[in-house]
Amino acid sequence: MAAPDTTRRSSVPWVAMYHSVADCTDDPYRITVTPERLDRQLAWLTRRGLRGVSMAELLAAPTPRGLVGLTFDDGYADFLTAALPVLRRHGCTATLFVLPGRLGGDNAWDPLGPRKPLLTADGIRQAAAEGVEIGSHGLTHVDLTRADDLALKAETADSRAALAELLGAPPAGFCYPYGTIDQRAVDAVRDTGYAYACAIDPGPLTGPHAFPRAHVGQNDTSARLFLKYRLHALRRRPVEGTR
C-alpha cells in the first residue's frame, strides 16, 4: 500500500479511536464496545452522510469532507470476528494498529480486567487481505515517553521492520501506545520513516506525526457522538504541514 500524502491538508480530520469489539461487562478501561453498539455508531455516521475509512484512505483523499477515520488499537483477535463484519455491512474501511512483538499474546499491559487475545501473524495477514490497513502500535505496547534509546528504536524501527517482513511492505502509519507523546517520540517515529502517526490529544505537537483522535466507547450514543464530532471541528485548528 502506498504511503499517504500528508503534506498539504488544511484542517485536522476527525478520527475515531476504538480498541476491542466484544462483550463489555468487565471493562475497567472502557476500551470495549459491543458489536451492536458499533453497528449503531456506524449507522449514525451513514445518516449524517459520513463514511468511516482507514487513515490511508482519509489522508489520500483530496479533502476529508464526508470522511471519518476509523482506527482500532492493539490488534485484538475480536477485530476479525466482531468488528470486521460490522465494518463490511456499512461499507467502511479501517486502520488496525498491531503489536508484532506480541503476536498471539494478550493485553498483558493492562493489570485489571480480562485477558483479551491478540491477533496472530496469520490473523493480521487475513485482516490485510480483507482490505484493512495495518499500522504499528509499537513492538510491545510501551510508553515511548519513558523508553530509553534502545527501547525507543525497538518500538518504532524494529516494529516497522517486523510488519514489513510479515506483510511484504512496511506500514505507513504508527500509533502511540497510551496516546502519550513528546517531541522525542514524535521525532523517532518520523525519522523511522512512518508517513503519519496517531495520538489522542497531542496539543501543540498536532501534525502529520501526531493526529488527534476521539475515544469512542460503549457509552457513546448518537447524541454523544454528535457532540464529539462538533467539538472536534471547534477545537482543532488548521495545522502547518498537513493537507
Side-chain angles (χ1 to χ4, degrees):
M1 181 179 294
D5 176 8
T6 62
T7 59
R8 299 185 302 278
R9 189 174 296 276
S10 60
S11 61
V12 181
W14 199 68
V15 180
M17 176 181 66
Y18 287 94
H19 290 80
S20 173
V21 181
D23 175 76
C24 58
T25 303
D26 186 5
D27 188 32
Y29 300 104
R30 297 185 301 111
I31 63 166
T32 309
V33 299
T34 63
E36 295 77 16
R37 176 64 74 187
L38 177 63
D39 184 75
R40 290 194 289 270
Q41 290 166 344
L42 297 184
W44 176 85
L45 292 180
T46 301
R47 290 196 301 272
R48 295 195 61 79
L50 302 169
R51 185 168 68 90
V53 298
S54 68
M55 289 299 297
E57 187 172 347
L58 181 70
L59 296 173
T63 171
R65 187 176 181 86
L67 301 177
V68 168
L70 297 180
T71 62
F72 291 78
D73 291 7
D74 302 333
Y76 292 106
D78 58 44
F79 179 84
L80 283 180
T81 57
L84 191 55
V86 181
L87 291 167
R88 283 200 201 111
R89 188 155 60 246
H90 290 275
C92 295
T93 60
T95 298
L96 178 66
F97 292 111
V98 301
L99 299 155
R102 293 189 182 272
L103 298 176
D106 60 31
N107 57 328
W109 59 90
D110 286 336
L112 304 176
R115 297 300 91 197
K116 288 177 171 284
L118 304 177
L119 288 168
T120 63
D122 285 343
I124 292 172
R125 281 190 285 261
Q126 181 182 342
E130 295 280 355
V132 176
E133 181 194 11
I134 304 297
S136 172
H137 198 28
L139 196 64
T140 59
H141 206 284
V142 169
D143 182 344
L144 298 191
T145 66
R146 299 183 178 184
D148 60 25
D149 290 346
L150 188 62
L152 185 61
K153 177 181 179 299
E155 295 296 320
T156 55
D158 293 357
S159 68
R160 190 167 192 252
L163 286 177
E165 182 176 357
L166 193 155
L167 297 171
F174 185 88
C175 174
Y176 300 95
Y178 306 104
T180 54
I181 64 171
D182 55 18
Q183 190 63 60
R184 174 173 167 265
V186 172
D187 290 346
V189 168
R190 183 195 61 236
D191 295 345
T192 296
Y194 293 98
Y196 73 87
C198 289
I200 297 178
D201 193 3
L205 292 175
T206 297
H209 290 90
F211 275 100
R213 296 182 297 166
H215 166 76
V216 180
Q218 181 67 11
N219 293 329
D220 285 315
T221 60
S222 296
R224 285 171 60 96
L225 283 178
F226 176 75
L227 288 174
K228 287 185 176 184
Y229 186 73
R230 288 299 301 270
L231 284 173
H232 173 82
L234 295 173
R235 293 175 60 195
R236 307 299 180 190
R237 298 179 178 179
V239 178
E240 183 178 353
T242 58
R243 185 166 57 184

